[in-house]
Amino acid sequence: MLVSTKGRYALRVMVDLAEHQATGRIPLKEIAARQAISEKYLENILATLVRANMLSGMRGKGGGYVLTRPPEQYTVGEILRLTEGSLAPVACLDGDCKGCSRSDECPTLDVWKNLDKLINDYLDGVTLDQLVAPNEGYDYVI
Amino acid sequence: MLVSTKGRYALRVMVDLAEHQATGRIPLKEIAARQAISEKYLENILATLVRANMLSGMRGKGGGYVLTRPPEQYTVGEILRLTEGSLAPVACLDGDCKGCSRSDECPTLDVWKNLDKLINDYLDGVTLDQLVAPNEGYDYVI
DNA sequence: CTAAAGCCTAGTAATGCAATAGGAAATAGG
DNA sequence: CCTATTTCCTATTGCATTACTAGGCTTTAG
């Protein structure tokens, strides 16, 4: 499985926040309820996004989370790479373990490299605003 | 990780067999040595391929494995789907668990469907003969 | 008959995923 | 200042999957 629940939830949450931008800061509790995700689990995910400055979190009464950029400036790729650690389709291409000893003679390496590029290019081409339902994220328009 | 060692090894082994087609049946021991894969682990993988009729195995002295079709009639996609079980990038698209309860309203589902198609189409477009090193698989030519 | 090979069913160790637990620190409003 | 609200942080647990091993049975050629 290329993308686990952590990445899937993260993406859904980012879309949720994009759709409710106009409401200001949104508390975790609200997102968890709307998205049917365990509050405690969601904490981990949001913490990751905050640490990477994709979200700003504020504590205390009236606190909550808000996007740090406009939705069109987030790509699905960066959100998933952050939360998943890597989108490499095979271990051979994973950041830390740079190539196995057989990489010179490996007849399949190019397949993995092409696949990796395909995946990342596609996901980097989709931005958050493309996932926001039309006529949402503008609750203030009425 | 989309593709685990099982799928990676399977692909390498299939290429190996394609390259040594002309030699007739190849015993597991030989493949394992050439590809530096544990013999016992390789047994599992080859058994899967034989059960799906991608390889023919024969026991006894002089036995071993051989492709059942010409290399250009195998796609990387089918080899990996068989050995991995599925190439779905997310659990949502995995065969058995047909869509979650939220699939109607899920804003991210299309991303996963497109990604799934992208991956499968690419891997189904690569055939085994394309991975065989030039001037190999023809050892009889001298 | 025997050596060489594949076939089959389990079992195990290690890893990573999904989720939980408990509390500390910050903030707004009264 | 006090309290309710809310994020932030570290650790732990249960579970499933992956990677690999063990041991024995069956088939085949010579």
Side-chain angles (χ1 to χ4, degrees):
Chain A
M1 210 60 42
L2 187 71
V3 179
S4 68
T5 58
K6 199 174 176 193
R8 276 189 289 127
Y9 287 176
L11 187 55
R12 269 168 55 197
V13 165
M14 291 296 281
V15 173
D16 185 287
L17 282 169
E19 284 176 347
H20 294 86
Q21 266 189 114
T23 323
R25 294 201 172 264
I26 317 239
L28 181 145
K29 214 171 182 174
E30 214 176 290
I31 307 173
R34 205 152 42 209
Q35 297 294 328
I37 301 172
S38 133
E39 292 183 25
K40 272 297 180 184
Y41 190 36
L42 198 51
E43 264 188 27
N44 294 327
I45 296 169
L46 288 177
T48 305
L49 291 163
V50 167
R51 254 178 256 122
N53 264 308
M54 290 201 186
L55 292 182
S56 140
M58 206 174 80
R59 335 192 206 194
K61 224 172 195 171
Y65 298 91
V66 75
L67 300 183
T68 55
R69 331 170 198 156
E72 62 269 23
Q73 284 179 28
Y74 293 91
T75 72
V76 172
E78 68 173 333
I79 295 168
L80 295 180
R81 268 190 303 274
L82 174 71
T83 48
E84 292 290 320
S86 156
L87 287 178
V90 291
C92 320
L93 299 180
D94 217 341
D96 16 336
C97 65
K98 291 185 187 177
C100 70
S101 55
R102 317 190 110 244
S103 57
D104 291 341
E105 41 176 334
C106 183
T108 64
L109 190 55
D110 278 346
V111 174
W112 307 133
K113 283 185 181 168
N114 291 341
L115 184 59
D116 186 52
K117 185 164 162 45
L118 211 68
I119 291 169
N120 281 281
D121 284 355
Y122 170 66
L123 293 175
D124 285 338
V126 183
T127 56
L128 211 51
D129 64 308
Q130 292 166 21
L131 304 183
V132 174
N135 297 328
E136 285 197 90
Y138 298 99
D139 351 21
Y140 52 87
V141 167
I142 299 284
Chain B
M1 211 62 40
L2 187 71
V3 179
S4 67
T5 58
K6 198 174 177 193
R8 276 188 289 127
Y9 288 176
L11 187 55
R12 269 167 56 196
V13 165
M14 291 297 282
V15 173
D16 185 287
L17 282 168
E19 283 175 349
H20 295 86
Q21 266 189 114
T23 323
R25 294 200 173 267
I26 316 242
L28 181 146
K29 214 171 181 174
E30 215 176 288
I31 307 173
R34 205 152 41 208
Q35 297 294 328
I37 301 172
S38 134
E39 292 183 24
K40 273 295 179 185
Y41 191 35
L42 197 51
E43 264 188 26
N44 294 327
I45 296 168
L46 289 177
T48 304
L49 292 163
V50 167
R51 256 179 254 124
N53 265 308
M54 289 200 186
L55 292 183
S56 140
M58 206 174 78
R59 331 193 209 194
K61 224 172 195 172
Y65 298 91
V66 74
L67 300 183
T68 54
R69 330 169 197 157
E72 63 269 22
Q73 285 178 28
Y74 293 92
T75 72
V76 172
E78 67 174 333
I79 295 168
L80 294 181
R81 266 190 304 273
L82 175 71
T83 48
E84 292 290 320
S86 155
L87 287 179
V90 292
C92 319
L93 299 180
D94 216 341
D96 17 335
C97 66
K98 292 184 185 174
C100 70
S101 54
R102 317 190 111 245
S103 58
D104 290 341
E105 43 177 332
C106 184
T108 63
L109 191 55
D110 278 345
V111 174
W112 307 133
K113 283 185 179 168
N114 291 340
L115 183 59
D116 186 52
K117 184 162 163 46
L118 210 70
I119 291 169
N120 280 281
D121 283 355
Y122 170 66
L123 294 175
D124 285 337
V126 183
T127 56
L128 212 52
D129 64 306
Q130 292 167 20
L131 303 183
V132 175
N135 297 326
E136 284 196 270
Y138 299 98
D139 350 22
Y140 52 88
V141 168
I142 302 277

